[in-house]
């Protein structure tokens, strides 16, 4: 079953703007991951944040995690056309030895 | 860099055919996974393997089987392909933990006619 749910489902922004997307989950987790998928390709891991972390940065990416609200956000700053992709959050649902992926969040960056 | 390769990018098969999808990883990862991805349904786990010759069912194993005879290779088998198995198939691997970072192959788009 899919645990992570991304919001908004689709986002269209101008190049240079920031893009923010959210992910909610239902059960307790020990980590939450974000992945990117370019059209017709495999997923690429972006960042992993552990349950005892509140914020993590990687280049132009910033991820936050609020375990009390069971939610995470991914911020892409100064977006580029190459950031056009689908973004997925993934969590290991409590008691399950697997990753559950959300349905994805389509981001289109207009040059 | 971890490299996960899949045997075909595109594959067209007929109903009832036996289909083999191969996946190879070059980083000595313990765990390997097969997912299918369909519009509106996201990624769904078919099977995974945590060691050579070991396998575990995922969320949608019906109609599929897997084989892991060597650590670097994980095969997905459709014993008798059906049209509802038309999908994008993604292979992934992870180093140690099942829920750690996963590295994906480029995907195989399978069409069953």
């Amino acid at each position: 079953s899919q645990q992570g749910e991304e919001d908004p489902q689709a986002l269209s922004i101008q190049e240079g703007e920031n893009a923010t997307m959210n992910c909610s989950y239902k059960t307790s987790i020990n980590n939450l991951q974000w992945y990117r998928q370019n059209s017709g390709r495999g997923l690429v891991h972006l960042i992993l944040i552990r349950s005892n972390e509140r914020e993590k940065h990687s280049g132009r990416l910033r991820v936050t995690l609020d375990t009390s609200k069971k939610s995470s956000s991914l911020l892409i700053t100064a977006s580029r056309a190459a950031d056009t992709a689908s973004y997925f959050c993934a969590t290991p649902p409590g008691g399950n030895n697997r990753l559950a992926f959300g349905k994805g969040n389509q981001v289109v960056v207009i040059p | 860099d971890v490299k996960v390769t899949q045997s075909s990018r595109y594959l067209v098969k007929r109903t009832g055919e036996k289909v083999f999808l191969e996946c190879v990883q070059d980083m000595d990862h313990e765990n390997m996974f097969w997912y299918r991805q369909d519009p509106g349904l996201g990624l769904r786990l078919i099977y995974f393997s945590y060691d050579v010759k070991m396998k575990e069912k995922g969320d949608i194993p019906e109609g599929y089987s897997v084989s892991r005879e060597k650590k670097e290779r994980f095969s997905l088998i459709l014993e008798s392909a059906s049209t509802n198995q038309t999908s994008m198939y993604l292979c992934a691997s992870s180093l140690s933990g099942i829920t750690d970072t996963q590295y994906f192959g480029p995907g195989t788009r399978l069409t069953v006619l």
Side-chain angles (χ1 to χ4, degrees):
Chain A
S1 61
Q2 300 292 337
Q3 167 158 253
E5 289 290 338
E6 296 90 352
D7 173 60
Q9 298 295 306
L11 189 61
S12 186
I13 57 173
Q14 294 288 329
E15 200 166 30
E17 292 181 341
N18 295 341
T20 300
M21 57 209 90
N22 302 305
C23 168
S24 60
Y25 57 92
K26 296 186 175 66
T27 63
S28 62
I29 59 171
N30 56 25
N31 73 64
L32 185 143
Q33 303 175 37
W34 284 93
Y35 290 79
R36 183 188 74 229
Q37 183 181 34
N38 292 94
S39 180
R41 308 297 295 183
L43 278 72
V44 174
H45 179 257
L46 295 176
I47 201 161
L48 181 153
I49 186 165
R50 300 201 183 279
S51 58
N52 60 353
E53 297 175 306
R54 290 295 165 261
E55 189 171 309
K56 203 161 182 180
H57 296 253
S58 176
R60 293 183 295 112
L61 304 179
R62 173 178 166 248
V63 168
T64 62
L65 179 64
D66 187 335
T67 53
S68 67
K69 294 181 180 176
K70 292 188 168 59
S71 70
S72 173
S73 69
L74 170 67
L75 168 67
I76 305 172
T77 60
S79 63
R80 304 168 182 168
D83 295 327
T84 294
S86 291
Y87 293 83
F88 295 83
C89 67
T91 59
N96 252 346
N97 61 341
R98 62 196 61 189
L99 276 185
F101 286 81
K103 292 190 171 69
N105 186 324
Q106 176 70 38
V107 173
V108 175
V109 180
I110 302 163
Chain B
D1 275 354
V2 177
K3 191 160 184 186
V4 179
T5 57
Q6 295 183 228
S7 49
S8 306
R9 289 282 287 124
Y10 299 94
L11 208 52
V12 179
K13 296 291 181 181
R14 298 215 172 267
T15 302
E17 281 192 79
K18 190 168 186 175
V19 182
F20 292 87
L21 302 182
E22 300 274 316
C23 176
V24 178
Q25 51 95 3
D26 67 356
M27 284 300 290
D28 205 36
H29 282 182
E30 298 292 327
N31 310 296
M32 296 187 76
F33 309 82
W34 276 107
Y35 295 89
R36 63 177 283 177
Q37 183 178 28
D38 301 287
L41 297 176
L43 270 76
R44 293 180 291 169
L45 181 64
I46 304 171
Y47 267 99
F48 67 98
S49 168
Y50 50 90
D51 201 352
V52 175
K53 297 192 189 297
M54 306 304 288
K55 62 185 178 186
E56 228 177 279
K57 292 180 181 178
D59 298 317
I60 51 162
E62 297 77 20
Y64 303 94
S65 62
V66 290
S67 171
R68 193 164 180 204
E69 296 297 318
K70 293 185 177 181
K71 191 174 187 179
E72 68 271 17
R73 190 177 297 268
F74 192 35
S75 302
L76 180 70
I77 303 148
L78 288 66
E79 294 290 342
S80 177
S82 64
T83 54
N84 63 12
Q85 292 178 310
T86 291
S87 186
M88 170 71 108
Y89 289 87
L90 293 165
C91 174
S93 69
S94 69
L95 177 59
S96 51
I98 295 286
T99 58
D100 285 345
T101 298
Q102 293 189 10
Y103 297 85
F104 283 80
T108 295
R109 187 165 295 280
L110 172 68
T111 302
V112 182
L113 301 174

